Amino acid sequence: MLEAQVSQRLGDFTLDTSLAVPAEGVTALFGRSGSGKSSLIRLIAGLGVPDSGSIRLGDTWLVDTQRRRWVPPHRRQLGVVFQEARLFPHYSVRGNLRYGMPRAARADFDGLVELLGIGHLLSRTPGLLSGGEARRVAIGRALLSRPRMLLMDEPLTGLDGARKQELLHYIRRLARDTGVPILFVSHDTREIGALADRVALIEEGRVMASGPVDEMFSRLDLGPRTGRFEASSLLEARIVAHDEALCLTRLALSGMAEGETLSVARLEGAVGAVVRLRLRARDVGVASTRTPSLPDVACLPATLREIGDEAYSPFVEVMLDVGGQALRARLTREAIAQMGLQVGQALQARLRSVTISRHDVIVM
């Protein structure tokens, strides 16, 4: 685990916060521009010195201002990936990957190259790489240093939709297959929904809240600080079938009746694979348990868990419990009044498959 308790004055801005990153999975540091994300990452990486505080990685003190300890960046055993790939232009991809690679990591080289899908790029120079390819090489170079943790500072910024989805896929595989914990900095809630196991929300130089990603998405009280995470929910589902003729994949969510599925655009995952599904609150409907079903609409038994309190708005967010998972819906005040909705009430959650894009589903 990495633990940081640091304070630093940067002009008119003050970073004064605590952060804990578990020794596994992906922890996302989320905040708007200027919130202190990159400043905190720089201190952890050793690219700056805090005015006061400490940073510890496992049993190793990287920083302790009280005892005047400060470990230089190259000795911190941290792999760092920035927005720019920062590859050496006069080296080939192979040379970049091997730069700074310890002898003990030679056995990792071929497997990591295969994992990142960059074997065909080894003889190229960075100038001949696409943005997504260059980022993958930068990630490979960081991992071949055998880090205890990988720090990624908005590595997807500037990539187009296809390249971003491709790199999201590779980062998720890295977290699953290498066992190296990742601290992933982003201001994009879609990236966080696709990758993160945990989220730390930073605002004005302070970490205001942290927890498992699904819990953070389901907290209505964080809406004003998070931009409502684009008013979305994260649900886990399982691939039960592929319909090749209709180019669809059938998903089963907890709480669905036997044989009932949600259809989405054809996915690449195998039958039985678990996926993470991002559902926008505006695409979730609510109906009474007596309302008949409709074509292309999946109906899930739900219980009303919470009704938000939003002043001066015709819309209100409500939280539903669907098979033990939290599902957010955005309703009008008029609809809530007409239906007489109350906490604890049994309802139907209605999901229209046509509103779910392939980019809203990630195979775990």
Side-chain angles (χ1 to χ4, degrees):
M1 172 180 284
L2 182 139
E3 296 176 300
Q5 296 180 329
V6 292
S7 179
Q8 185 182 40
R9 182 80 175 179
L10 300 165
D12 295 332
F13 178 80
T14 298
L15 179 72
D16 186 7
T17 195
S18 298
L19 175 69
V21 182
E24 59 183 8
V26 180
T27 298
L29 183 61
F30 170 79
R32 298 174 181 175
S33 296
S35 60
K37 305 185 302 297
S38 293
S39 298
L40 181 53
I41 280 286
R42 288 179 60 82
L43 293 182
I44 294 171
L47 303 178
V49 182
D51 298 330
S52 63
S54 63
I55 302 173
R56 185 174 68 175
L57 180 61
D59 296 329
T60 305
W61 291 95
L62 305 181
V63 178
D64 188 338
T65 57
Q66 190 171 3
R67 297 183 177 90
R68 297 187 177 181
R69 293 179 179 173
W70 187 80
V71 176
H74 66 279
R75 292 179 51 206
R76 294 199 175 193
Q77 294 183 280
L78 296 170
V80 185
V81 180
F82 297 98
Q83 292 182 21
E84 308 85 19
R86 301 190 182 186
L87 302 176
F88 298 116
H90 54 293
Y91 284 0
S92 66
V93 166
R94 186 186 299 275
N96 271 278
L97 290 171
R98 288 182 170 176
Y99 184 85
M101 182 180 73
R103 186 182 299 271
R106 289 180 179 178
D108 303 337
F109 187 90
D110 291 340
L112 188 58
V113 165
E114 181 179 357
L115 180 63
L116 288 168
I118 54 177
H120 63 295
L121 305 175
L122 292 177
S123 62
R124 295 187 192 177
T125 55
L128 299 176
L129 303 179
S130 69
E133 289 169 344
R135 307 285 172 92
R136 277 188 277 154
V137 174
I139 292 169
R141 184 175 63 181
L143 286 170
L144 284 169
S145 70
R146 287 218 165 171
R148 296 173 63 185
M149 180 172 289
L150 190 61
L151 310 180
M152 308 188 79
D153 189 5
E154 307 224 29
L156 306 182
T157 298
L159 298 181
D160 61 35
R163 301 290 79 75
K164 181 176 290 190
Q165 289 300 315
E166 177 185 76
L167 200 52
L168 280 170
H169 168 73
Y170 282 113
I171 295 172
R172 188 72 221 178
R173 286 188 63 192
L174 287 174
R176 183 188 65 206
D177 296 347
T178 67
V180 177
I182 297 174
L183 178 58
F184 182 89
V185 178
S186 179
H187 65 276
D188 189 322
T189 56
R190 291 168 296 182
E191 296 173 8
I192 290 173
L195 283 177
D197 300 300
R198 295 180 58 83
V199 177
L201 168 64
I202 187 169
E203 181 183 73
E204 296 181 354
R206 295 176 180 269
V207 172
M208 308 299 296
S210 63
V213 63
D214 55 342
E215 291 183 11
M216 293 290 285
F217 267 61
S218 66
R219 284 181 57 177
L220 297 182
D221 62 303
L222 294 180
R225 290 192 169 104
T226 62
R228 304 199 176 283
F229 283 111
E230 292 189 280
S232 304
S233 306
L234 292 179
L235 273 70
E236 286 196 353
R238 181 173 49 83
I239 296 177
V240 295
H242 296 296
D243 191 324
E244 303 295 347
L246 298 178
C247 300
L248 296 174
T249 293
R250 314 290 185 185
L251 303 177
L253 285 80
S254 298
M256 274 188 165
E258 184 70 26
E260 186 173 5
T261 61
L262 174 67
S263 299
V264 299
R266 177 69 163 84
L267 302 175
E268 296 302 321
V271 171
V274 175
V275 301
R276 181 179 286 176
L277 185 65
R278 178 174 172 268
L279 298 169
R280 296 172 181 81
R282 67 173 183 263
D283 296 332
V284 178
V286 172
S288 75
T289 56
R290 300 182 301 274
T291 305
S293 60
L294 295 170
D296 287 331
V297 176
C299 300
L300 288 75
T303 303
L304 183 57
R305 177 193 293 181
E306 183 181 358
I307 300 177
D309 184 14
E310 303 173 46
Y312 311 112
S313 172
F315 301 101
V316 176
E317 287 186 12
V318 302
M319 195 62 66
L320 307 169
D321 185 294
V322 177
Q325 300 189 80
L327 178 62
R328 208 169 189 158
R330 194 170 191 226
L331 308 177
T332 63
R333 291 183 182 276
E334 182 179 31
I336 290 175
Q338 289 179 350
M339 296 176 66
L341 297 184
Q342 298 180 355
V343 172
Q345 184 174 349
L347 298 165
Q348 287 184 38
R350 300 194 145 203
L351 312 180
R352 296 183 63 223
S353 59
V354 70
T355 64
I356 303 170
S357 79
R358 183 182 286 106
H359 300 322
D360 292 322
V361 187
I362 184 165
V363 180
M364 305 297 285

